[in-house]
């Protein structure tokens, strides 16, 4: 059987691995596949012939949003359970803990408030209408600059 990058497959000998996606066109007798239940695996086609899956059976939110790294990349794909485990090792209280709030949310909220202050929707549309692209860029860069922190008392100048 011929496999191509993007094919959805199952390993008939390892049903618990779940649905998989071929990561690149096979070379020689081996094939790289990301399985939802176990992560990335390299299989020998002389030992196992993955079964192609199509239609509704081939749909899976993890695979539907999988970014496939180019061949030779150092990126290794992890299973969803392993990814959750890694996340909880870093953020034991999950999305609601102080550590997650400090490392992943606070700076994003500051950027959001700053963007509302210096580049509101109305102002953005007005600047576009007046072809003031340089000003839009200047304000967007100010939002992206990590040294700028939101302050409700500061005004755009």
């Amino acid at each position: 059987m011929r496999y191509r990058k993007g094919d959805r497959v199952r390993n008939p000998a390892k049903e618990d691995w779940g649905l998989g996606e071929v990561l690149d066109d096979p070379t020689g007798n081996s094939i790289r596949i990301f399985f939802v239940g176990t992560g990335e695996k390299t299989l020998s086609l002389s030992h196992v012939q993955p079964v192609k899956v199509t239609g509704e059976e081939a749909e899976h939110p993890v695979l539907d949003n999988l970014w496939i790294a180019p061949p030779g990349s150092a990126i290794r794909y992890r299973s969803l359970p392993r990814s959750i485990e890694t996340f909880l090792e870093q953020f034991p209280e999950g999305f609601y803990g102080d550590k997650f709030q400090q490392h992943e949310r606070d700076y994003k909220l500051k950027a959001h408030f700053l963007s509302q202050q210096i580049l509101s929707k109305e102002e953005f549309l007005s600047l576009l209408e007046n072809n003031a692209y340089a000003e839009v860029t200047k304000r967007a860069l100010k939002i992206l600059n990590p040294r700028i922190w939101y302050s409700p008392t500061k005004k755009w100048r």
Side-chain angles (χ1 to χ4, degrees), residues 10 48-49 65 96 110 114 119-120 122 131 144 151:
R10 290 193 183 280
V48 66
Q49 290 290 311
N65 293 289
Y96 302 102
K110 290 175 185 179
L114 183 61
L119 194 57
S120 68
E122 296 78 21
N131 298 324
L144 295 173
S151 167

Side-chain angles (χ1 to χ4, degrees), residues 3 5 11 18 20-22 25 27 35 59-60 70 77 85 91 109 112-113 120 132-133 135-136 145:
Y3 301 96
K5 178 179 176 178
N11 183 337
E21 182 168 328
V22 176
D25 292 329
T27 56
F35 290 97
E59 295 176 9
H60 194 285
Y77 298 93
E85 186 180 312
F91 304 107
L109 284 172
H112 169 73
F113 292 132
S120 68
Y133 306 119
E135 184 62 22
V136 170
N145 186 335

Side-chain angles (χ1 to χ4, degrees), residues 5-136:
K5 178 179 176 178
D7 283 347
R8 299 287 171 91
V9 297
R10 290 193 183 280
N11 183 337
K14 302 282 186 175
E15 285 295 321
D16 58 318
W17 288 6
L19 189 61
E21 182 168 328
V22 176
L23 295 174
D24 45 47
D25 292 329
T27 56
N29 200 28
S30 65
I31 185 170
R32 278 180 54 230
I33 303 172
F34 172 81
F35 290 97
V36 173
T38 194
E40 183 179 331
K41 298 288 184 183
T42 301
L43 305 178
S44 169
L45 293 173
S46 60
H47 291 96
V48 66
Q49 290 290 311
V51 177
K52 286 189 183 182
V53 179
T54 60
E56 282 188 31
E57 188 183 356
E59 295 176 9
H60 194 285
V62 171
L63 297 180
D64 293 345
N65 293 289
L66 182 66
W67 177 79
I68 300 177
S73 170
I75 293 175
R76 297 287 297 169
Y77 298 93
R78 294 182 183 178
S79 68
L80 186 56
R82 179 64 185 126
S83 295
I84 292 169
E85 186 180 312
T86 300
F87 173 81
L88 290 174
E89 285 170 5
Q90 187 172 1
F91 304 107
E93 297 173 44
F95 294 115
Y96 302 102
D98 290 338
K99 186 175 181 186
F100 182 83
Q101 185 74 30
Q102 292 167 359
H103 290 267
E104 295 295 329
R105 294 287 298 152
D106 288 349
Y107 76 95
K108 292 171 185 164
L109 284 172
K110 290 175 185 179
H112 169 73
F113 292 132
L114 183 61
S115 69
Q116 287 181 323
Q117 183 182 40
I118 67 174
L119 194 57
S120 68
K121 182 178 179 178
E122 296 78 21
E123 230 173 320
F124 176 69
L125 293 174
S126 173
L127 290 168
L128 286 181
E129 190 175 293
N130 292 307
N131 298 324
Y133 306 119
E135 184 62 22
V136 170

